Amino acid sequence: MTVLEASGKAGGQINLAIQNPRRRELVGIVDWRLSELEHLGVTIRYDCWAEVEDVLALEPDVVVVATGGLPQSPPLETGEELVTSSWDLLSGAVKPAESVLVYDDNGGHPGMSVAEVAANAGARVELVSPERFFAPEMGGLNHVPYMRAFHEKDVTVTINTRLVAVRRDGNKLVATLGSDFAQGWRGERLVDQIVVEHGTMANDELYHALKPLAKNGGAVDYERLVGNGAIFPIANPDAAFMLLRIGDAVASRNIHAAIYDGIRFAMRI
Ligand SMILES: Cc1cc2nc3c(=O)[nH]c(=O)nc-3n(C[C@H](O)[C@H](O)[C@H](O)COP(=O)(O)OP(=O)(O)OC[C@H]3O[C@@H](n4cnc5c(N)ncnc54)[C@H](O)[C@@H]3O)c2cc1C
């Protein structure tokens, strides 16, 4: 069993989640799995961006693509090139500016965390959400520490409001805001930085490149996965390996989905 990992460390997006110091215990999810892999003698090759040839060179029987996702921008009328992604801010690649508008139309931890991290760094933060209730994908228990931080740092929350466009005004940015309810309504904010959180787009190039080479063409029989029987329909009988993908490489989801995908398949292969 071999794991090919593009970065220098395991954990993927969890490494971004733990940039909020309050949430650093999440690293246990990674550490425990690494110690289990060591115990089981699994080889992990770090700094290895897997391409088709790297996979084929291992002569595998089963290939699990767990390449996660990449941040994507919300649809904007103009100014996509002017916004900063939540990943850039959380990774430290971009520092929070003095006044920051965080636009979160994903509704989970990343948007809330980036607002908290920017506010703790001294930024004046407004969190804007198109939802009726902000961060609807996050549980009530987690709401408490975020709101404590937001109140302590004077983070403003604006709901029912969409980021429509961004333009430059001198060395500032103007966010044009819109409403899903009143079509002609427009609002504006003049800020130093606009950070967007719009979930991830599946990083599925490797999966699609491997599909025609796989015995099952990358397909899974989901009826059988939840019931009984062989879960891989055979498309290319002469091919050497079965192919499947899990986690955010399928769609923008969460840690639970990635882990459960892995467990469900691992129990059947
Ligand atoms: C700030 C933040 C906070 C979050 N908080 C939570 C939370 O509290 N709870 C929750 O459930 N979810 C949370 N999430 C979402 C969760 O982290 C992701 O849904 C989850 O990590 C997806 O796991 P994954 O393994 O599918 O992909 P990823 O975590 O994206 O990992 C993909 C891995 O594949 C590697 N890779 C990519 N391409 C290649 C390649 N070609 N070759 C080799 N390696 C490659 C990457 O380097 C990476 O290590 C958060 C996300 C963020 C950004």
Side-chain angles (χ1 to χ4, degrees):
M1 170 94 170
T2 307
V3 178
L4 306 180
E5 169 52 58
S7 103
K9 74 201 262 207
Q13 292 171 58
I14 292 178
N15 293 313
L16 291 173
I18 61 174
Q19 296 311 310
N20 182 343
R22 197 173 53 67
R23 308 193 71 228
R24 81 183 133 232
E25 283 84 8
L26 283 171
V27 79
I29 298 170
V30 184
D31 288 346
W32 182 77
R33 282 173 176 74
L34 282 176
S35 72
E36 287 296 292
L37 293 188
E38 193 181 344
H39 177 65
L40 293 164
V42 173
T43 307
I44 307 181
R45 275 199 229 154
Y46 291 103
D47 300 310
C48 173
W49 177 265
E51 304 210 33
V52 170
E53 303 73 51
D54 305 297
V55 173
L56 298 184
L58 291 167
E59 299 182 359
D61 298 316
V62 179
V63 178
V64 180
V65 174
T67 44
L70 295 168
Q72 54 177 334
S73 276
L76 297 177
E77 285 169 10
T78 56
E80 201 178 308
E81 69 288 357
L82 299 174
V83 302
T84 302
S85 81
S86 58
W87 286 30
D88 278 344
L89 208 102
L90 286 169
S91 68
V94 175
K95 294 269 167 272
E98 213 174 303
S99 61
V100 180
L101 184 146
V102 174
Y103 179 62
D104 176 24
D105 67 355
N106 181 19
H109 282 279
M112 297 289 276
S113 269
V114 82
E116 183 176 342
V117 165
N120 283 336
R124 200 167 56 255
V125 179
E126 178 177 3
L127 177 79
V128 176
S129 161
E131 306 288 345
R132 285 203 294 167
F133 311 101
F134 66 107
E137 297 297 324
M138 212 186 58
L141 275 181
N142 278 299
H143 189 81
V144 176
Y146 281 115
M147 265 327 294
R148 184 181 303 131
F150 286 7
H151 275 151
E152 283 171 1
K153 302 287 176 191
D154 281 331
V155 174
T156 317
V157 179
T158 303
I159 54 169
N160 291 320
T161 303
R162 218 168 256 290
L163 178 66
V164 174
V166 177
R167 68 173 194 276
R168 224 182 256 292
D169 183 351
N171 57 359
K172 296 262 186 191
L173 295 174
V174 179
T176 305
L177 305 176
S179 162
D180 289 351
F181 312 99
Q183 263 204 338
W185 181 84
R186 286 288 184 268
E188 275 194 354
R189 300 287 192 276
L190 186 67
V191 290
D192 297 313
Q193 192 176 46
I194 296 172
V195 178
V196 294
E197 168 52 42
H198 185 68
T200 56
M201 191 167 34
N203 175 22
D204 54 7
E205 242 174 67
L206 179 63
Y207 169 78
H208 286 292
L210 287 168
K211 265 176 80 164
L213 308 175
K215 206 180 253 185
N216 61 329
V220 172
D221 184 327
Y222 284 95
E223 295 282 329
R224 289 186 171 178
L225 183 66
V226 294
N228 285 309
I231 62 169
F232 296 119
I234 302 301
N236 307 311
D238 298 333
F241 61 89
M242 300 296 190
L243 171 71
L244 59 103
R245 62 176 160 161
I246 62 172
D248 279 11
V250 179
S252 180
R253 292 177 293 164
N254 55 36
I255 298 168
H256 311 262
I259 290 176
Y260 274 113
D261 279 358
I263 292 172
R264 286 186 186 113
F265 284 120
M267 284 168 62
R268 300 295 292 278
I269 54 181

